[in-house]
């Protein structure tokens, strides 16, 4: 059997390094042929010396020469989207909207896209959807909830007609059960300490506001075509049930495993087969209990904001995602308080200007417009 050729865009981050863990455990099945980073060139060099990829991409021009010097066996390129040319599967683990070119180029190349970069699908749904029908192109989600839904849907023959509800689980993040008043002045470190998942800073802050879950509602709509009225969110603090699908006969399928991102990564690499390494294996005797509760949409306003943007469609999800990225950056820089992340997203959405959404450039323009309004809103808030 020839090994499946894997490219990782965003290899220095949390998903990127965990993808390398999966490959390390499954050396006979997978070969790393390409790695790409923004500017974390030291991590890239270490990874490349171990995995010997043919191509490495470094987006930051100031760091590129160092990669070239340290890795004489690899071709060094500037564009992470070029990685799709040499691989069978591209893991898109770039953070935020910057991952859009990798998503688009991978699908155009007719390759499998293992998508951890949800923002590209959410912001550019109208552009990405038609590319899914390029011959050979295939989108397999790496997001744990959508990986769960993907698995639950495999139990149904005609999934679109037989599904009555998709139920996305949410850990609730570090602030579950807290009141809005008690969250007025939380520290950055508190928002960065997730109770069940070990993830990068952007998604960890998104988990604390429930924006991550809101974006995942839009992601589920894009991936599976489920109407928003049929997508529900339930808080499940143990993060063992990764999501569920209820069918028209009342049966619910759920996918359970311990919270370990290497399971959805391995699933996306191996689908429709499964890897042999048991990441996320449950010890039932120690599991104890599984709890479920309604999300608090008054304290965590980002969740209803995402439903609203998703239902508005067009470039509204791009606006929301852009506003959120700018607000999270400002929070991490100490320029915004935690509740103001939702305030900024809300205000930017109120100023939403529907625009063209048929090309990548349309989406980039929408993203830029929303970012400039978000920056303006933040500056005004800082001054007041
Ligand atoms: Mg998720």
């Amino acid at each position: 059997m020839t090994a499946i050729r894997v490219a990782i865009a965003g290899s220095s981050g949390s998903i990127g390094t965990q993808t390398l863990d999966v490959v390390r455990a499954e050396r006979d099945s997978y070969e790393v042929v390409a790695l790409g980073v923004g500017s974390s060139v030291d991590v890239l060099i270490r990874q490349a010396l171990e995995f010997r990829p043919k191509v490495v991409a470094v987006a930051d021009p100031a760091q590129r020469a160092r990669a070239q010097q340290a890795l004489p066996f690899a071709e060094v390129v500037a564009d992470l989207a070029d990685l799709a040319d040499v691989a069978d599967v591209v893991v898109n683990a770039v953070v935020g909207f910057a991952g859009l070119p990798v998503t688009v180029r991978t699908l155009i190349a007719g390759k499998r896209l293992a998508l951890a970069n949800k923002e590209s699908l959410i912001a550019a749904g109208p552009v990405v959807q038609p590319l899914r029908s390029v011959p050979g192109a295939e989108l397999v989600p790496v997001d744990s909830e959508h990986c769960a839904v993907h698995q639950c849907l495999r139990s149904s023959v005609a999934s679109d007609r037989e599904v009555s509800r998709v139920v996305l689980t949410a850990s609730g993040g570090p602030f579950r059960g807290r009141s809005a008043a008690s969250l007025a002045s939380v520290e950055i470190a508190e928002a960065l300490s997730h109770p069940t998942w070990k993830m990068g800073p952007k998604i960890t802050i998104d988990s604390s506001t429930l924006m991550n879950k809101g974006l995942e509602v839009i992601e589920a709509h894009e991936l599976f075509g489920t109407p928003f009225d049929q997508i529900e969110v339930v808080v499940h603090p143990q993060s063992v049930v990764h999501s569920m699908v209820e069918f028209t006969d009342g049966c619910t399928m759920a996918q359970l495993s311990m919270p370990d991102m290497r399971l959805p990564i391995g699933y996306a690499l191996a689908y429709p087969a499964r890897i042999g390494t048991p990441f996320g294996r449950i010890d039932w005797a120690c599991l104890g209990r599984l709890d479920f509760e309604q999300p608090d949409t008054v304290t965590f306003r980002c969740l209803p904001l995402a439903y609203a943007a998703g239902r508005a469609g067009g470039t509204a999800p791009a606006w929301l995602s852009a506003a959120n990225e700018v607000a999270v950056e400002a929070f991490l820089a100490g320029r915004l308080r935690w509740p103001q992340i939702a305030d900024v997203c809300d205000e930017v959405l109120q100023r939403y200007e529907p625009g063209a959404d048929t090309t990548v450039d349309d989406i980039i323009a929408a993203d830029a417009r929303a970012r400039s309004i978000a920056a303006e809103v933040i500056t005004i808030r800082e001054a007041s």
Side-chain angles (χ1 to χ4, degrees):
M1 196 184 84
T2 47
I4 292 169
R5 298 171 301 166
V6 178
I8 308 169
S11 65
S12 59
S14 173
I15 294 291
T17 53
Q18 292 185 80
T19 303
L20 292 174
D21 277 352
V22 173
V23 173
R24 225 179 256 118
E26 301 270 321
R27 284 269 195 194
D28 295 342
S29 307
Y30 303 100
E31 178 196 358
V32 174
V33 292
L35 295 170
V37 297
S39 59
S40 303
V41 81
D42 292 325
V43 181
L44 173 83
I45 289 169
R46 210 176 326 120
Q47 293 173 334
L49 288 173
E50 178 183 354
F51 288 92
R52 314 282 294 186
K54 295 180 180 68
V55 180
V56 299
V58 181
D60 181 353
Q63 304 290 336
R64 212 169 291 139
R66 281 188 49 220
Q68 188 73 79
Q69 200 176 18
L71 308 168
F73 54 85
E75 182 192 347
V76 180
V77 299
D79 189 351
L80 271 67
D82 286 347
L83 304 185
D85 297 340
V86 294
D88 303 307
V89 184
V90 177
V91 178
N92 186 354
V94 174
V95 176
F97 184 72
L100 180 60
V102 175
T103 288
V104 168
R105 282 274 299 282
T106 302
L107 294 173
I108 287 175
K111 303 291 176 71
R112 173 176 298 183
L113 173 65
L115 185 67
N117 175 268
K118 68 189 82 178
E119 290 89 345
S120 58
L121 178 61
I122 290 158
V127 172
V128 173
Q129 288 297 0
L131 301 178
R132 292 173 75 181
S133 47
V134 170
E138 187 178 26
L139 203 175
V140 183
V142 169
D143 212 347
S144 62
E145 295 78 2
H146 305 79
C147 174
V149 171
H150 197 270
Q151 295 183 62
C152 295
L153 288 173
R154 291 171 77 177
S155 65
S156 178
V157 176
S159 59
D160 50 339
R161 277 183 291 120
E162 292 174 354
V163 170
S164 61
R165 271 196 298 177
V166 166
V167 183
L168 301 178
T169 53
S171 69
F175 301 143
R176 182 178 63 89
R178 298 267 299 263
S179 67
S182 81
L183 292 168
S185 58
V186 292
E187 299 290 329
I188 295 169
E190 290 177 79
L192 279 174
S193 88
H194 196 278
T196 51
W197 290 100
K198 203 176 131 280
M199 303 179 293
K202 198 265 178 180
I203 188 171
T204 304
I205 299 302
D206 286 350
S207 294
S208 79
T209 60
L210 288 198
M211 180 59 91
N212 181 52
K213 208 52 51 181
L215 295 176
E216 288 180 352
V217 167
I218 303 173
E219 184 184 9
H221 171 79
E222 292 291 346
L223 281 169
F224 308 114
T226 316
F228 285 100
D229 292 342
Q230 287 169 247
I231 305 173
E232 280 180 30
V233 171
V234 65
V235 173
H236 166 50
Q238 291 89 359
S239 301
V240 168
V241 175
H242 294 294
S243 277
M244 301 172 261
V245 174
E246 183 191 272
F247 296 96
T248 48
D249 60 357
C251 276
T252 295
M253 301 295 294
Q255 186 263 317
L256 286 75
S257 52
M258 296 311 284
D260 188 326
M261 282 310 293
R262 293 174 298 181
L263 191 148
I265 292 165
Y267 179 86
L269 294 182
Y271 174 79
R274 286 184 185 267
I275 60 169
T277 310
F279 294 113
R281 195 161 184 271
I282 295 171
D283 182 345
W284 292 99
C286 294
L287 189 58
R289 50 191 272 185
L290 300 174
D291 296 299
F292 300 92
E293 61 194 46
Q294 283 292 320
D296 172 0
T297 53
V298 176
T299 304
F300 299 94
R301 289 170 293 142
C302 288
L303 181 57
L305 283 175
Y307 269 99
R311 287 190 166 107
T315 52
W319 276 57
L320 175 71
S321 181
N324 180 58
E325 272 189 50
V326 174
V328 169
E329 249 169 58
F331 171 71
L332 288 172
R335 296 179 57 209
L336 275 187
R337 287 182 295 111
W338 183 88
Q340 294 178 313
I341 297 173
D343 293 343
V344 170
C345 292
D346 191 359
E347 201 169 329
V348 171
L349 272 188
Q350 283 179 33
R351 292 171 62 179
Y352 171 52
E353 303 152 5
D357 61 9
T358 48
T359 67
V360 170
D361 286 344
D362 292 339
I363 304 297
I364 289 172
D367 174 81
R369 179 75 182 132
R371 276 172 201 269
S372 81
I373 293 176
E376 190 185 308
V377 168
I378 291 167
T379 306
I380 292 166
R381 277 172 189 274
E382 271 186 321
S384 65

Short mmCIF file of all heavy atoms in Angstrom, two decimals, residues 118 142-146 169 197 199 203 207 212-213 216 219 242 261, ligand 1:
data_model
loop_
_atom_site.label_atom_id
_atom_site.label_comp_id
_atom_site.label_asym_id
_atom_site.label_seq_id
_atom_site.Cartn_x
_atom_site.Cartn_y
_atom_site.Cartn_z
N LYS A 118 -12.47 26.56 10.26
CA LYS A 118 -13.90 26.72 10.00
C LYS A 118 -14.22 28.08 9.41
O LYS A 118 -15.17 28.23 8.67
CB LYS A 118 -14.70 26.47 11.29
CG LYS A 118 -14.52 27.51 12.37
CD LYS A 118 -15.17 27.08 13.68
CE LYS A 118 -14.26 26.15 14.44
NZ LYS A 118 -14.76 25.70 15.72
N VAL A 142 -12.65 18.57 10.40
CA VAL A 142 -11.79 18.18 11.51
C VAL A 142 -12.36 18.71 12.83
O VAL A 142 -12.04 18.22 13.90
CB VAL A 142 -10.34 18.67 11.28
CG1 VAL A 142 -9.49 18.52 12.53
CG2 VAL A 142 -9.71 17.91 10.13
N ASP A 143 -13.26 19.68 12.76
CA ASP A 143 -13.93 20.18 13.96
C ASP A 143 -14.62 18.99 14.64
O ASP A 143 -15.32 18.22 13.98
CB ASP A 143 -14.96 21.23 13.53
CG ASP A 143 -15.14 22.31 14.57
OD1 ASP A 143 -14.68 22.13 15.71
OD2 ASP A 143 -15.77 23.33 14.23
N SER A 144 -14.43 18.82 15.95
CA SER A 144 -14.88 17.59 16.61
C SER A 144 -16.40 17.39 16.50
O SER A 144 -16.86 16.27 16.29
CB SER A 144 -14.46 17.59 18.08
OG SER A 144 -15.05 18.68 18.76
N GLU A 145 -17.16 18.48 16.60
CA GLU A 145 -18.62 18.36 16.54
C GLU A 145 -19.07 17.90 15.15
O GLU A 145 -19.96 17.08 15.01
CB GLU A 145 -19.29 19.71 16.85
CG GLU A 145 -19.07 20.22 18.28
CD GLU A 145 -17.70 20.84 18.48
OE1 GLU A 145 -16.90 20.93 17.51
OE2 GLU A 145 -17.40 21.22 19.63
N HIS A 146 -18.43 18.47 14.13
CA HIS A 146 -18.85 18.17 12.76
C HIS A 146 -18.34 16.81 12.33
O HIS A 146 -18.98 16.12 11.55
CB HIS A 146 -18.40 19.30 11.84
CG HIS A 146 -18.92 20.62 12.35
ND1 HIS A 146 -18.32 21.27 13.40
CD2 HIS A 146 -20.02 21.33 12.01
CE1 HIS A 146 -19.02 22.36 13.68
NE2 HIS A 146 -20.05 22.42 12.86
N THR A 169 -22.98 19.77 20.58
CA THR A 169 -22.68 19.92 22.00
C THR A 169 -21.61 21.01 22.18
O THR A 169 -20.76 21.22 21.33
CB THR A 169 -22.18 18.60 22.61
OG1 THR A 169 -21.09 18.11 21.84
CG2 THR A 169 -23.29 17.57 22.66
N TRP A 197 -10.70 21.16 26.60
CA TRP A 197 -9.94 21.05 25.36
C TRP A 197 -8.67 21.89 25.45
O TRP A 197 -8.69 23.00 25.98
CB TRP A 197 -10.74 21.58 24.17
CG TRP A 197 -11.90 20.75 23.75
CD1 TRP A 197 -13.22 20.98 24.06
CD2 TRP A 197 -11.89 19.57 22.92
NE1 TRP A 197 -14.00 20.01 23.46
CE2 TRP A 197 -13.22 19.15 22.76
CE3 TRP A 197 -10.86 18.86 22.30
CZ2 TRP A 197 -13.58 18.03 22.01
CZ3 TRP A 197 -11.21 17.74 21.54
CH2 TRP A 197 -12.55 17.34 21.40
N MET A 199 -6.38 23.98 23.18
CA MET A 199 -6.48 24.55 21.83
C MET A 199 -5.69 25.85 21.75
O MET A 199 -5.22 26.36 22.75
CB MET A 199 -7.96 24.83 21.51
CG MET A 199 -8.86 23.61 21.62
SD MET A 199 -10.60 23.99 21.28
CE MET A 199 -11.04 25.06 22.67
N ILE A 203 -9.39 30.18 19.22
CA ILE A 203 -10.56 29.31 19.41
C ILE A 203 -10.90 29.17 20.90
O ILE A 203 -12.06 29.00 21.26
CB ILE A 203 -10.35 27.93 18.73
CG1 ILE A 203 -11.65 27.12 18.77
CG2 ILE A 203 -9.19 27.17 19.33
CD1 ILE A 203 -11.60 25.86 17.94
N SER A 207 -14.44 29.95 22.48
CA SER A 207 -15.18 29.00 23.31
C SER A 207 -15.71 29.70 24.56
O SER A 207 -16.81 29.39 25.03
CB SER A 207 -14.29 27.83 23.74
OG SER A 207 -13.92 27.09 22.61
N ASN A 212 -17.55 30.39 19.29
CA ASN A 212 -17.10 29.18 18.59
C ASN A 212 -18.31 28.30 18.26
O ASN A 212 -18.43 27.79 17.14
CB ASN A 212 -16.09 28.42 19.45
CG ASN A 212 -15.58 27.18 18.75
OD1 ASN A 212 -15.13 27.24 17.61
ND2 ASN A 212 -15.70 26.02 19.39
N LYS A 213 -19.22 28.14 19.22
CA LYS A 213 -20.40 27.31 18.96
C LYS A 213 -21.29 27.97 17.92
O LYS A 213 -21.86 27.29 17.06
CB LYS A 213 -21.15 27.05 20.26
CG LYS A 213 -21.92 25.76 20.29
CD LYS A 213 -21.09 24.54 19.91
CE LYS A 213 -19.80 24.44 20.69
NZ LYS A 213 -18.99 23.26 20.30
N GLU A 216 -19.91 27.35 14.69
CA GLU A 216 -20.11 25.93 14.36
C GLU A 216 -21.53 25.65 13.89
O GLU A 216 -21.76 24.70 13.12
CB GLU A 216 -19.74 25.06 15.56
CG GLU A 216 -18.23 25.03 15.77
CD GLU A 216 -17.78 24.18 16.93
OE1 GLU A 216 -18.62 23.70 17.72
OE2 GLU A 216 -16.57 23.99 17.08
N GLU A 219 -21.28 26.57 10.40
CA GLU A 219 -20.45 25.53 9.76
C GLU A 219 -21.29 24.27 9.48
O GLU A 219 -21.20 23.68 8.40
CB GLU A 219 -19.26 25.19 10.67
CG GLU A 219 -18.29 24.20 10.06
CD GLU A 219 -17.15 23.79 11.02
OE1 GLU A 219 -17.21 24.15 12.21
OE2 GLU A 219 -16.24 23.10 10.56
N HIS A 242 -19.74 14.24 21.34
CA HIS A 242 -19.21 15.34 20.52
C HIS A 242 -20.24 15.98 19.62
O HIS A 242 -19.98 17.05 19.07
CB HIS A 242 -17.99 14.85 19.74
CG HIS A 242 -16.88 14.54 20.69
ND1 HIS A 242 -16.27 15.51 21.45
CD2 HIS A 242 -16.34 13.37 21.09
CE1 HIS A 242 -15.39 14.95 22.25
NE2 HIS A 242 -15.42 13.64 22.05
N MET A 261 -8.28 15.95 20.02
CA MET A 261 -8.43 16.36 18.61
C MET A 261 -7.76 15.39 17.64
O MET A 261 -8.02 15.43 16.44
CB MET A 261 -7.89 17.78 18.40
CG MET A 261 -8.81 18.89 18.87
SD MET A 261 -10.52 18.75 18.28
CE MET A 261 -10.31 19.01 16.53
MG1 LIG B 1 -15.46 22.36 17.65
#
